Amino acid sequence: LSCQQATAKGPSLDMARAMPLSCQQMDNTSLMCLAAMDNLEARAEVVRRHIMDVDNVSYAEACETYKEIRDFNRSTLGVAHTIPYRIAIATATAAAFVSIPLCFHLPTVEFFNANFVNLEVPPDPESLRTWLGVGAWSWEWMEPPLGQLSFMILCLQVARNQLGTIGHKPYGGIIRQWRARKLIKQFPRFDETILSAYSKASPLVSPTR
């Protein structure tokens, strides 16, 4: 509805003023609903309120304890734990940019053909005058590896989805679970479910909450 159509049914000024503007202003029920949707800010606020209850302290004091939990959760995983992701990012990025000259840049295509393929160069030089003509020639040997790699990635994606279907976690889920166990062990007086949910919602690198 537009503002004109909704004027008669719109919220009152008191209702608008009562609207929470952050997780800190939410009631417990709304906060838990938002936390159940994997919202990191909401789960962080759940941890802070849980600290208030367990330690019988003010919100300000609970925030200090929360910072200890947050900092420990951040420090648990190092660069080594994310090496598979970093390798995948670097490899995929490099392959994406390298594939362009390997397909359309004539000097690069000629070098690759001479050293790795050894197919006959088109007899008509005019056919290689444009980048599309070069691509038509290089595609003779670029199509099989690119097509096979694409199919392999597709199959791996299907396999990964099926692992989730039967309850097995991929690498990211495994190290998140490991980090959550470390956090629970470090702060045993707090509820395991709350700490685990917070830890698993945090990014693997540079968590912000």
Side-chain angles (χ1 to χ4, degrees):
L1 295 178
S2 66
C3 288
Q4 291 181 344
Q5 294 172 316
T7 300
K9 301 180 181 179
S12 65
L13 181 58
D14 290 339
M15 184 184 299
R17 287 173 174 169
M19 181 183 69
L21 301 178
S22 66
C23 290
Q24 287 85 352
Q25 298 175 352
M26 288 184 175
D27 61 80
N28 291 336
T29 301
S30 300
L31 184 66
M32 291 301 292
C33 289
L34 187 60
M37 294 187 287
D38 294 339
N39 183 280
L40 178 57
E41 175 60 33
R43 291 192 176 185
E45 180 62 21
V46 169
V47 172
R48 287 189 284 265
R49 296 188 189 187
H50 180 57
I51 294 171
M52 294 176 67
D53 176 42
V54 172
D55 291 352
N56 193 28
V57 295
S58 67
Y59 186 79
E61 293 174 300
C63 286
E64 294 302 316
T65 304
Y66 164 75
K67 289 179 182 178
E68 296 178 15
I69 294 174
R70 180 199 62 193
D71 292 343
F72 181 84
N73 192 58
R74 287 181 176 182
S75 65
T76 303
L77 294 181
V79 174
H81 295 92
T82 58
I83 284 179
Y85 295 107
R86 296 174 186 273
I87 292 175
I89 292 170
T91 302
T93 303
F97 286 101
V98 169
S99 65
I100 296 175
L102 283 175
C103 284
F104 303 111
H105 184 242
L106 182 57
T108 304
V109 170
E110 289 177 329
F111 173 83
F112 191 86
N113 178 54
N115 290 275
F116 301 102
V117 184
N118 295 319
L119 280 184
E120 183 180 353
V121 178
D124 183 9
E126 286 297 312
S127 64
L128 302 178
R129 188 171 56 85
T130 65
W131 62 274
L132 288 176
V134 174
W137 173 42
S138 65
W139 198 244
E140 293 185 41
W141 64 80
M142 290 298 292
E143 183 177 15
L146 292 179
Q148 176 56 34
L149 285 173
S150 299
F151 180 72
M152 183 181 72
I153 292 172
L154 175 63
C155 290
L156 291 174
Q157 289 176 330
V158 172
R160 184 182 187 278
N161 289 337
Q162 298 313 308
L163 282 174
T165 300
I166 62 177
H168 288 285
K169 299 176 181 178
Y171 177 72
I174 292 174
I175 60 176
R176 276 189 167 91
Q177 181 66 45
W178 177 81
R179 181 176 63 181
R181 289 197 297 266
K182 296 274 288 185
L183 185 64
I184 292 168
K185 185 177 180 180
Q186 182 70 15
F187 299 92
R189 70 182 186 276
F190 299 121
D191 184 80
E192 294 184 6
T193 302
I194 291 176
L195 289 183
S196 178
Y198 166 73
S199 181
K200 291 177 182 177
S202 300
L204 297 180
V205 179
S206 301
T208 57
R209 299 302 307 170

